Amino acid sequence: MKQQSKARAHTNIALIKYWGKRDNKLFLPMNSSLSLTLDAFYSETSVELSDSFEADSFILNDQPQNSQETAKISHFLDLFRQTAGIKTAAKVVSQNFVPTAAGLASSASAFAALGAAMNHATGLNLDLAELSTYVRRGSGSATRSVYGGFVEWQMGTTSADSLAVEIDDASWDIGMITVAVNTNKKTLSSRDGMKLTVETSAFYPAWLESAAKDLVSIKEAIHKQDFQQLGEITESNGMKMHGTMLGATPPFSYWEALTVEVLTKIREIRRQGWQCYFTMDAGPNVKILCRYSDAEAIQKLLTTAFPDNPVIISKVGSGVKLI
Amino acid sequence: MKQQSKARAHTNIALIKYWGKRDNKLFLPMNSSLSLTLDAFYSETSVELSDSFEADSFILNDQPQNSQETAKISHFLDLFRQTAGIKTAAKVVSQNFVPTAAGLASSASAFAALGAAMNHATGLNLDLAELSTYVRRGSGSATRSVYGGFVEWQMGTTSADSLAVEIDDASWDIGMITVAVNTNKKTLSSRDGMKLTVETSAFYPAWLESAAKDLVSIKEAIHKQDFQQLGEITESNGMKMHGTMLGATPPFSYWEALTVEVLTKIREIRRQGWQCYFTMDAGPNVKILCRYSDAEAIQKLLTTAFPDNPVIISKVGSGVKLI
């Protein structure tokens, strides 16, 4: 056989955080989460299946990847190959348009794009909900990148129903700004941070209860298009996730000095009348949910305060697409 | 009648934090706490009772205090006067040897010293355990300042048994260093911070459970003189308290940019082999539990890193004393 497909997927930022796995192998989460897909950051990946290839190969951002990196991709592609009943080797060529300077992870868009391309190349043509259960096993947050706008990742009961659901296309003046505080590699990966939290945090059971309630409330806010409620829940849920880390043994934190300054500045901008709410993932960088029509003005205030830090605006992104 | 007494009391730093009241009027805490009394910071207060005084007066650090401040003191002195069956007015003269630059609260030593002086002046001569239930009603943390060394404030079941208990005189090479990050008045008082946490934090019930366990463990560590365990529980309990604030609605934090830098530096000093563990109260300043014999070396490392911030060593302090 010989087939080639190419897909684009955007990254997403969780407003209700995914924080902890109940199954490390299947990437089943401890709680349901909800995100906003971002237009500004994406991956484009092509998959070529050919009987003439002896083994899988993987080129990322024009760089051939070593056997260890390629093995991860092979393992992921196997999920599709098993279902399709084929063993054909693949050539994967991927480009991440998630600038390192933005301080964002690219794994969500990367696995969503790769999964979408592989889905088509193999002829499986799974629908997006089912596709999301496959890309989940590359990276948990990739689950949500199959759709655009506001997307829920339902924790489900098995691997088959731990999937993405479209909630709203977020076409009501929604934007996001990222402030890069430090773009170096983290000393503690998200994976290790969430594991330590699940295993030791005094606050973890309360986090799970609270995240479940936050999810119900944020869906109400989205349904009513109540931006303030949306923002307040986003900010509160994100800080709670960081609070769980202070409850771990030993306690840890992804915050840096500049993180605190950025959070303080955002509160100040909000007091000046701009609707803006922060959230943070497992790292020192800060993301701000705002009205897209306000984004440039807010960006200007932030750039004035933090001239050395990239401040990047994004509008709402769409789901995976073959290109 | 005419009586005069003068007492000294030292401040204390909680290793297991007091965070939340179950009775705002009686200052009954939601959880038991445990502290270390510090030698370097103290208050000296004289109380003169005389039938010739028309009303209470209060001089603090050589400054006559206004009627609002004096009323707080009168209210506190009434507790003793009621028990003693007298109505004699008092002249209170107090000096706080808690330098503003240290970024520490003086209310613990202030109310402990005032209570001890009043206890003697009225002739009540309550024992220290009972005295601690009186000073508690001036400021919760004052409860623990009646004793030296490691002191437990047992939450109790009523006002009469919510009192201080001597645990250990801490004469086994224990010291504390304070790093003043910001000594301006806080925008959110401890009282308001703990109230918001008790009322809204998703993590508050878990905090209470966890603090109860930490108290058991830290008393074991003290009994065994296991400094590492003592330090690890101290650091973990303090961070948990700060984690409860990130679980509040709205989330809040006392951390400043420099706080994060100081915590990072202490972790670095620890990796270099020094036994030192941080804790923080409801403010941006950092306290470090260490071996007293290591304190100067650690102070030097901190002063080099933060030349603009006061870094003050204290040895272990003693309980209230008439002077």
Side-chain angles (χ1 to χ4, degrees):
Chain A
M1 75 181 287
K2 187 162 164 39
Q3 287 291 342
Q4 183 162 7
S5 298
K6 188 172 182 183
R8 179 189 299 138
H10 294 87
T11 195
N12 69 80
I13 298 295
L15 311 184
I16 304 298
K17 300 297 183 189
Y18 153 50
W19 190 236
K21 294 183 181 67
R22 66 181 196 272
D23 185 315
N24 289 309
K25 197 164 165 288
L26 293 173
F27 285 74
L28 295 176
M30 291 289 281
N31 64 290
S32 298
S33 54
L34 187 143
S35 63
L36 181 67
T37 304
L38 299 190
D39 182 69
F41 312 104
Y42 58 97
S43 300
E44 288 184 352
T45 302
S46 72
V47 172
E48 187 180 350
L49 295 172
S50 171
D51 293 326
S52 66
F53 297 151
E54 290 192 0
D56 293 335
S57 63
F58 176 32
I59 296 171
L60 175 62
N61 298 336
D62 304 320
Q63 300 292 320
Q65 301 294 296
N66 64 25
S67 59
Q68 201 188 342
E69 290 303 313
T70 306
K72 283 186 206 166
I73 296 301
S74 293
H75 186 71
F76 177 71
L77 297 181
D78 284 345
L79 300 172
F80 294 84
R81 283 187 284 229
Q82 278 155 18
T83 306
I86 60 171
K87 294 194 168 180
T88 321
K91 178 181 178 183
V92 173
V93 180
S94 188
Q95 197 78 29
N96 281 330
F97 298 87
V98 182
T100 309
L104 294 178
S106 54
S107 63
S109 57
F111 280 100
L114 175 59
M118 187 65 175
N119 184 34
H120 190 253
T122 54
L124 279 177
N125 296 321
L126 310 168
D127 64 25
L128 290 176
E130 192 170 2
L131 175 61
S132 76
T133 68
Y134 279 65
V135 303
R136 190 195 73 227
R137 295 173 70 177
S139 166
S141 57
T143 314
R144 299 180 307 242
S145 272
V146 301
Y147 294 121
F150 293 113
V151 182
E152 180 183 351
W153 171 13
Q154 297 184 341
M155 61 184 290
T157 55
T158 63
S159 184
D161 66 356
S162 183
L163 49 72
V165 174
E166 256 187 308
I167 296 295
D168 183 284
D169 66 2
S171 61
W172 38 289
D173 197 13
I174 302 286
M176 191 162 262
I177 301 172
T178 66
V179 183
V181 164
N182 185 342
T183 57
N184 296 331
K185 202 172 151 57
K186 294 178 279 192
T187 48
L188 185 71
S189 70
S190 315
R191 185 177 294 203
D192 291 342
M194 64 172 73
K195 190 162 182 286
L196 183 58
T197 305
V198 172
E199 289 171 1
T200 71
S201 178
F203 300 150
Y204 197 71
W207 154 259
L208 290 179
E209 268 184 53
S210 186
K213 285 182 199 158
D214 287 346
L215 181 67
V216 171
S217 307
I218 208 166
K219 286 199 283 187
E220 280 170 16
I222 291 168
H223 183 70
K224 290 185 296 179
Q225 301 195 351
D226 183 334
F227 187 79
Q228 185 179 337
Q229 196 188 338
L230 175 72
E232 287 175 356
I233 298 167
T234 295
E235 192 165 301
S236 141
N237 185 269
M239 288 297 101
K240 257 182 286 198
M241 181 182 90
H242 285 265
T244 63
M245 305 174 203
L246 296 183
T249 306
F252 67 101
S253 172
Y254 287 104
W255 295 19
E256 297 188 7
L258 194 58
T259 302
V260 178
E261 287 181 25
V262 172
L263 301 187
T264 303
K265 187 71 193 174
I266 296 166
R267 287 195 179 97
E268 184 192 316
I269 292 173
R270 188 158 66 213
R271 279 196 300 274
Q272 288 167 9
W274 301 98
Q275 285 192 296
C276 52
Y277 300 90
F278 52 76
T279 186
M280 290 172 60
D281 293 295
N285 305 304
V286 182
K287 292 94 179 188
I288 303 158
L289 183 70
C290 64
R291 294 295 198 177
Y292 185 66
S293 57
D294 290 342
E296 267 191 55
I298 295 169
Q299 180 192 43
K300 207 167 177 179
L301 293 167
L302 288 164
T303 303
T304 304
F306 306 104
D308 298 332
N309 295 80
V311 178
I312 304 172
I313 294 176
S314 180
K315 58 182 179 183
V316 176
S318 51
V320 287
K321 206 161 78 176
L322 293 168
I323 54 175
Chain B
M1 72 180 290
K2 186 161 164 37
Q3 289 290 341
Q4 183 161 6
S5 298
K6 189 173 182 182
R8 179 189 300 137
H10 294 86
T11 193
N12 69 80
I13 298 295
L15 310 185
I16 304 298
K17 301 297 183 189
Y18 154 50
W19 191 236
K21 294 182 181 68
R22 66 180 196 270
D23 185 316
N24 288 309
K25 199 164 163 288
L26 293 173
F27 285 73
L28 295 176
M30 291 288 280
N31 64 289
S32 299
S33 54
L34 187 142
S35 62
L36 180 68
T37 303
L38 299 191
D39 182 70
F41 311 104
Y42 58 98
S43 300
E44 289 184 352
T45 302
S46 72
V47 172
E48 188 180 353
L49 294 172
S50 171
D51 293 328
S52 67
F53 297 151
E54 291 193 357
D56 293 335
S57 64
F58 176 32
I59 296 171
L60 175 63
N61 299 336
D62 305 318
Q63 300 293 320
Q65 300 295 295
N66 64 24
S67 59
Q68 202 189 339
E69 289 304 313
T70 306
K72 283 185 204 167
I73 296 301
S74 294
H75 185 71
F76 177 70
L77 297 181
D78 285 344
L79 300 172
F80 294 84
R81 284 187 286 229
Q82 278 156 18
T83 305
I86 60 172
K87 294 196 169 179
T88 320
K91 179 180 175 183
V92 172
V93 180
S94 188
Q95 197 77 28
N96 281 329
F97 298 86
V98 182
T100 308
L104 294 178
S106 54
S107 63
S109 57
F111 279 101
L114 176 59
M118 187 66 176
N119 185 34
H120 189 252
T122 54
L124 278 178
N125 297 321
L126 310 168
D127 64 23
L128 290 176
E130 191 170 3
L131 175 62
S132 76
T133 67
Y134 279 66
V135 304
R136 188 196 72 227
R137 296 172 69 178
S139 166
S141 57
T143 313
R144 298 181 307 241
S145 272
V146 302
Y147 294 121
F150 292 114
V151 183
E152 180 183 350
W153 171 13
Q154 296 184 340
M155 60 183 290
T157 56
T158 63
S159 185
D161 66 355
S162 183
L163 48 72
V165 174
E166 257 186 307
I167 296 296
D168 183 284
D169 66 3
S171 60
W172 38 287
D173 197 14
I174 303 287
M176 193 163 260
I177 301 172
T178 67
V179 183
V181 164
N182 184 342
T183 58
N184 296 330
K185 203 173 149 55
K186 293 177 280 193
T187 47
L188 185 70
S189 70
S190 313
R191 186 177 294 205
D192 291 343
M194 65 172 72
K195 190 162 182 287
L196 183 58
T197 305
V198 172
E199 290 172 359
T200 71
S201 177
F203 300 150
Y204 197 70
W207 154 259
L208 291 179
E209 268 184 55
S210 185
K213 285 182 201 160
D214 287 346
L215 182 66
V216 171
S217 308
I218 208 168
K219 286 200 282 187
E220 281 170 15
I222 291 168
H223 183 68
K224 290 184 294 178
Q225 302 195 350
D226 183 333
F227 188 79
Q228 184 180 337
Q229 196 188 340
L230 175 73
E232 286 175 357
I233 298 167
T234 295
E235 191 164 302
S236 140
N237 185 268
M239 288 298 100
K240 258 183 285 199
M241 182 181 90
H242 284 266
T244 64
M245 306 174 202
L246 296 183
T249 306
F252 67 101
S253 171
Y254 287 104
W255 294 18
E256 298 188 6
L258 195 58
T259 303
V260 178
E261 287 180 24
V262 173
L263 302 188
T264 303
K265 186 72 193 173
I266 296 166
R267 286 195 181 98
E268 184 191 317
I269 292 173
R270 189 159 64 213
R271 278 197 301 273
Q272 289 166 9
W274 302 98
Q275 285 191 296
C276 53
Y277 300 90
F278 52 76
T279 185
M280 292 173 59
D281 293 294
N285 305 306
V286 181
K287 291 96 179 186
I288 303 157
L289 183 70
C290 64
R291 293 296 198 176
Y292 185 66
S293 56
D294 290 342
E296 268 191 55
I298 296 169
Q299 180 192 43
K300 208 167 175 180
L301 293 167
L302 289 163
T303 303
T304 304
F306 308 104
D308 299 332
N309 296 80
V311 178
I312 303 172
I313 293 176
S314 179
K315 56 182 179 184
V316 176
S318 52
V320 288
K321 204 161 79 176
L322 292 169
I323 54 175

